[in-house]
Amino acid sequence: MAKKLMKGSEAIPEAAIQAGCRFFFGYPITPQNDIPEYMSARLPKVGGCFLQAESEVAAINMVYGAAAAGARVMTSSSSPGVSLKQEGISYIAGAELPCVICNMMRGGPGLGSIQPSQGDYFQATKGGGHGDYHLIVLAPSSVQEAVDLMHTAFDLADIYRTPVMLLADGIIGQMMEPVEFHEHEKRELPDKPWAVTGYDPNGTKPRAIVNSLYIEVDELQEMNDRLQARYKEIQEKEVMVEKYNTEGAEVIICAYGTVARICKSAIALCAEKGVKVGLVRPITLWPFPEKELVEVMAQPSVKRELTVEISAGQMHEDVRLAINGSKPTDFYGKPGSYTPTAEEIAEYILKTREA
Amino acid sequence: MLWTNIFAGFGGQGVLLIGQLLAYAGMYEGKNVSWLPSYGPEMRGGTANCSVVVSDDPIASPCINMANCVIAMNRPSLDKFEQNVLPGGKLFINSSIIDKKATRTDIDVYYVPCNEIADKLNNPKVGNMAMLGAYLEATKAVDSKSVLDALLYKLGEKKAHLIPLNEQAIELGKESVRDQIK
């Protein structure tokens, strides 16, 4: 199939539809409005339903409902809107339902800015709402990867009965790149006997009840144990990471999303000065590619690690936990919405090398 | 081959469009491309710019700080982005409305009378295409045939009659810089 030049926030909803998503519930917020706009035009044509809810809270609860009925459903928003959805996301995690949530991060806290940011890493990877749960968090660094990850997102959601978040920044949404919508390797998907699809008193299927309330301590424990066992399996099986130029590198950068691509340009600038820098780019932020990072860091050539983020160093905490003091680590970046340039990152690497 | 470009001007001059046409054309020619607009609380008449990368190799960063080429369609864009041209790079200035010369001496500078070319064609809207023509002549980044294919895709069959006009603007833009190319 020929490549198409598409904006991230149009390619993402198209990929979702091709992955079988037929329901979208959302509420407008910059910089992701092209996603609901695209869905509103396309979904009715493929027999789906687009609904602009009265608020983010309503939208995520509609997602909860459609997911409970066994549908492939998604919502999208940007940082402040995703904060509003957290209660619903916790309920969906507790009710063990699959859905996809897209967060086009913008600067925060509060209403912040509408420029790109990576300040929602903690919220996305550590749960976000109340209770002991995780989302699978996927972080694309190109429009093509966002398209490919949409398929992965819906499959993982179904396989593990968990909400999956596509965590991108405004750049991925606004940028146009060539994309190809190719066939995706189909994973084996479980049936959804738990789905509430109407009860037949004469049928053989037991009554399905979707709920996240477990009043009895033992029952709640059982549900939590189930979740934790699932998270362990996800950590073992579903880690995705890109290693770039890591062999024989002196410095290893850890960065994700668009920032990782800026780092690749910085790596080229460092190479011009004869300094070999590599990149470990987590594609799954949760599960975090701990083992892969540790392996790269263990190379004798590697002297230190540098995490680069548009945040105060949120992912850097996971990097530090992974490296666990075995080698020095450092952080470069600012909270808010300042996107560092390749030149700045390269300059920092070269400067700290001399120091 | 790697072209990193910043197209800048005020809203309505069509800088985002010519950036997109370059990206489409590059894609048609099998190259890697990216197009990233500046976005924010923008308004008509305000400033607009986009970063466009055309490359044989996979594109690392789509965010361009230092560019091979800067296209300045108005004075504020020149003031802002002249410093962002890589040494040895190219700077294109819309000389119809920018009364200032470039101050850099380590780059190639091209003066393109975009608005005059558009006036000559009796259509004020094609000044951007004249600039794109100048860019194509000086860089040979993509073929103008690919640009016209891209334009046809953007315009659609209903507006296909506008292609010859745009082609003329590209041609006159090319001519305007021919004797400026070293």
Side-chain angles (χ1 to χ4, degrees), chain A residues 114-115 175-176 178 261 265 343, chain B residues 33 35 39 59-62 65:
Chain A
I114 59 172
Q115 302 300 323
M175 177 171 56
M176 286 179 101
R261 289 181 66 176
S265 291
E343 288 82 1
Chain B
V33 298
W35 176 88
Y39 76 95
I59 294 166
S61 175
N65 178 40

Side-chain angles (χ1 to χ4, degrees), chain A residues 3-5 31 114-116 170-171 174-178 258 261-262 264-265 341 343, chain B residues 20 23-24 27 31 33-37 39-41 59-63 65-66 153:
Chain A
K3 284 189 175 178
K4 281 180 87 173
L5 193 66
I114 59 172
Q115 302 300 323
I171 295 176
Q174 296 299 317
M175 177 171 56
M176 286 179 101
E177 283 187 313
T258 315
R261 289 181 66 176
I262 300 172
K264 284 184 181 175
S265 291
T341 66
E343 288 82 1
Chain B
Q20 259 188 32
Y24 274 102
M27 181 179 74
K31 298 179 169 90
V33 298
S34 67
W35 176 88
L36 177 67
Y39 76 95
I59 294 166
S61 175
C63 310
N65 178 40
M66 295 302 286
Y153 172 78

Side-chain angles (χ1 to χ4, degrees), chain A residues 42-308:
Chain A
R42 275 282 279 140
L43 271 178
K45 289 182 187 151
V46 292
C49 173
F50 165 89
L51 203 149
Q52 181 174 317
E54 67 270 35
S55 71
E56 284 87 349
V57 178
I60 193 69
N61 281 289
M62 291 172 185
V63 170
Y64 186 4
R72 280 205 156 175
V73 55
M74 76 173 279
T75 186
S76 79
S77 192
S78 180
S79 307
V82 176
S83 290
L84 285 164
K85 291 182 199 284
Q86 289 303 330
E87 179 196 53
I89 296 172
S90 171
Y91 279 41
I92 294 168
E96 300 168 68
L97 294 174
C99 72
V100 174
I101 301 142
C102 179
N103 181 2
M104 289 284 175
M105 285 184 280
R106 60 186 243 183
L111 276 175
S113 75
I114 59 172
Q115 302 300 323
S117 170
Q118 296 185 318
D120 302 352
Y121 178 91
F122 280 157
Q123 186 194 57
T125 60
K126 310 295 176 189
H130 59 281
D132 255 316
Y133 76 93
H134 279 290
L135 310 175
I136 296 175
V137 184
L138 308 174
S141 76
S142 69
V143 178
Q144 181 66 56
E145 191 176 43
V147 163
D148 296 338
L149 285 177
M150 259 345 250
H151 291 258
T152 313
F154 280 100
D155 284 355
L156 291 177
D158 280 349
I159 291 167
Y160 295 103
R161 292 179 61 180
T162 178
V164 175
M165 180 173 277
L166 190 82
L167 191 69
D169 54 60
I171 295 176
I172 294 285
Q174 296 299 317
M175 177 171 56
M176 286 179 101
E177 283 187 313
V179 286
E180 226 172 336
F181 293 91
H182 41 74
E183 278 293 311
H184 283 263
E185 201 182 316
K186 294 263 182 295
R187 290 183 61 158
E188 202 172 316
L189 300 177
D191 291 337
K192 297 180 173 178
W194 43 262
V196 281
T197 52
Y199 178 56
D200 176 5
N202 302 314
T204 52
K205 198 185 151 202
R207 189 187 288 273
I209 297 169
V210 166
N211 187 18
S212 70
L213 177 67
Y214 295 86
I215 289 287
E216 299 295 336
V217 173
D218 293 351
E219 287 177 15
L220 181 63
Q221 190 60 55
E222 212 176 285
M223 182 265 266
N224 269 287
D225 289 347
R226 208 160 50 231
L227 289 185
Q228 293 303 320
R230 220 172 265 160
Y231 296 149
K232 198 159 169 276
E233 193 185 340
I234 294 169
Q235 284 175 308
E236 280 160 11
K237 291 186 187 164
E238 307 296 350
V239 168
M240 288 186 275
V241 63
E242 181 197 359
K243 294 178 208 165
Y244 176 81
N245 211 35
T246 53
E247 208 146 305
E250 172 189 324
V251 182
I252 294 297
I253 297 178
C254 196
Y256 69 96
T258 315
V259 176
R261 289 181 66 176
I262 300 172
C263 289
K264 284 184 181 175
S265 291
I267 287 170
L269 293 173
C270 289
E272 283 172 19
K273 305 273 178 197
V275 179
K276 188 154 189 217
V277 182
L279 170 74
V280 172
R281 176 174 72 88
I283 299 170
T284 50
L285 297 179
W286 198 92
F288 187 77
E290 206 166 307
K291 206 177 80 215
E292 290 74 8
L293 177 61
V294 169
E295 272 169 21
V296 168
M297 288 301 295
Q299 293 181 98
S301 69
V302 176
K303 295 208 169 60
R304 60 196 171 99
E305 188 276 347
L306 176 71
T307 305
V308 184

